[in-house]
Amino acid sequence: MPRALVHIGLGKTGTTSIQSALVRLRDGPGLGPVRYPSLARRTDHAMLSVLYKPYDRLARGIRAKVDAVPGGYEATRAAVRDEFQPALSSGDDLILSTEFFDSLSGDEVARFVDELTRAGYDEIAVLVYLRGPAPLYLSRTQQLVKASGSIVPPDRFRFGYRSRVEVWADRVNRLFVRAVEPGADDVVEDALSVAERFFGIALARPAVARENSSLSSEGMILLQRYRRIVHADRDDQFLPDSNRLLDVIRAVESEHGNLTQARLAGWASDAVAAVNAEDLAWLAEQHDLDLRGASAEAVDRPRPVTAVLDVADVLDEWSAAGLELLTHRVMALLLRDPSA
């Protein structure tokens, strides 16, 4: 009977690097008897979420793709179903990977697992990677400012570690809960090792490419200010002009190494840790996974008093001169080539 290993991220835990490695194995030395299906011409299986989530619960990036398809949500569901069905009915061992399954509800998980079971998968395992609250908050904030002018205050960033893990625990045969540190290079090796143990096979090791590099402090500030000024009424939407701005910021950052590496201020690290303390204690007790000491190292300073938090408020350090340099270089590139 076939088995299925479902990697559900979470986001910013090397997920893209794992998915890229699986694609290189699929297209190169191979995964042996295991299938990593191609879906919607992506390296991941993010679009599977449309089969189990209603439209209003889809992640903003998935909603944008759904909205771009003639026929919208129902047409997208039908297309994804048609593409996924051959892999599901193949009888092959299966690896699926999508960070968009980390927020499935209990009913949504049950429907997904039931579909795998009805297709003949008698052993289903879930692999989830977790980060400590401070680096996770920083990564999520970097993602947020790409599409919003506002951010979540640190003391309101309750991630729900326990609920995201427990929702799978009673519905699958095995649950691999792992920790990953910011910038860790060994998450791909760890994921492939888990797959080897679960399927009882040996896998080749493809070259690992680092994915999704972090923005500088100045890059985060510039992006948020742009979104707040230009798109104040369009929060939580990826837009072509801000996507283009992000690309140009990354290009400038790659040329100038004197910008500030983003780190959380001490008060922000403490606030994020405090609001997630109960879940972190549960992880340590139930899964022998201690993320309580994974807060970013930062120099403490008093919490600013502000009604709407700027990114600059939660960062440990940034340079006004660096922000000015970044702004001028970005403007120069855009003026020379508006399509850059």
Side-chain angles (χ1 to χ4, degrees):
M1 298 292 282
R3 294 156 292 181
L5 175 62
V6 186
H7 167 233
I8 62 169
L10 304 174
K12 296 302 177 181
T13 56
T15 299
T16 305
S17 295
I18 292 171
Q19 291 161 350
S20 296
L22 289 168
V23 168
R24 287 195 293 276
L25 282 175
R26 181 185 67 197
D27 297 343
L31 289 165
V34 180
R35 175 182 289 210
Y36 184 70
S38 177
L39 188 65
R41 292 178 293 183
R42 295 174 59 103
T43 60
D44 63 8
H45 303 114
M47 296 307 293
L48 283 179
S49 58
V50 304
L51 300 181
Y52 309 104
K53 286 185 175 185
Y55 176 82
D56 61 359
R57 278 187 30 78
L58 294 175
R60 62 187 180 187
I62 302 300
R63 278 202 311 269
K65 294 183 182 301
V66 167
D67 292 342
V69 173
Y73 177 67
E74 292 302 330
T76 303
R77 281 171 56 88
V80 172
R81 169 66 62 203
D82 288 345
E83 215 175 343
F84 184 46
Q85 195 58 46
L88 198 60
S89 58
S90 67
D92 296 330
D93 286 341
L94 196 65
I95 296 179
L96 301 173
S97 178
T98 168
E99 63 195 83
F100 295 102
F101 269 13
D102 79 292
S103 58
L104 291 184
S105 69
D107 288 344
E108 291 159 357
V109 168
R111 284 193 287 115
F112 169 67
V113 171
D114 182 61
E115 184 164 18
L116 288 181
T117 302
R118 284 187 284 106
Y121 290 87
D122 65 341
E123 190 171 359
I124 303 168
V126 164
L127 171 61
V128 55
Y129 286 97
L130 300 174
R131 297 177 73 179
L136 178 63
Y137 173 78
L138 182 59
S139 291
R140 289 293 175 107
T141 301
Q142 289 199 354
Q143 288 297 106
L144 194 60
V145 296
K146 296 174 184 177
S148 297
S150 57
I151 65 171
V152 177
D155 56 1
R156 297 181 190 172
F157 184 74
R158 190 182 300 278
F159 184 62
Y161 288 94
R162 179 171 181 171
S163 61
R164 291 170 191 263
V165 171
E166 274 194 324
V167 73
W168 295 94
D170 296 330
R171 295 178 170 91
V172 298
N173 304 99
R174 298 183 68 181
L175 184 61
F176 299 98
V177 184
R178 321 282 279 187
V180 62
E181 294 298 326
D185 291 322
D186 59 354
V187 65
V188 172
E189 171 62 31
D190 188 81
L192 294 179
S193 295
V194 169
E196 287 179 324
R197 293 199 302 275
F198 179 65
F199 293 114
I201 59 173
L203 296 173
R205 294 300 190 266
V208 176
R210 292 293 298 273
E211 308 283 351
N212 288 342
S213 58
S214 297
L215 287 168
S216 66
S217 293
E218 293 81 12
M220 293 176 68
I221 293 168
L222 181 57
L223 262 178
Q224 187 195 30
R225 289 182 180 178
Y226 179 82
R227 290 292 310 207
R228 182 172 290 172
I229 293 169
V230 178
H231 297 300
D233 58 342
R234 301 186 73 178
D235 255 9
D236 205 28
Q237 296 181 47
F238 287 104
L239 299 170
D241 58 334
S242 44
N243 290 341
R244 187 165 67 249
L245 174 60
L246 174 62
D247 290 340
V248 176
I249 288 173
R250 289 195 183 281
V252 174
E253 287 180 336
S254 68
E255 287 183 27
H256 298 278
N258 56 342
L259 297 173
T260 310
Q261 180 181 352
R263 297 189 310 171
L264 280 189
W267 75 267
S269 295
D270 293 344
V272 172
V275 77
N276 290 281
E278 187 174 328
D279 279 6
L280 297 180
W282 176 83
L283 278 174
E285 180 180 342
Q286 297 296 321
H287 293 277
D288 195 27
L289 200 67
D290 194 351
L291 300 178
R292 290 170 291 190
S295 297
E297 294 180 6
V299 178
D300 199 6
R301 60 185 179 191
R303 174 174 179 161
V305 178
T306 178
V308 179
L309 279 171
D310 292 327
V311 165
D313 294 331
V314 302
L315 294 173
D316 177 52
E317 186 180 359
W318 61 278
S319 163
L323 180 59
E324 184 177 15
L325 168 70
L326 178 63
T327 304
H328 290 170
R329 293 286 187 178
V330 166
M331 289 173 61
L333 281 175
L334 289 174
L335 288 172
R336 282 202 302 268
D337 182 5
S339 64

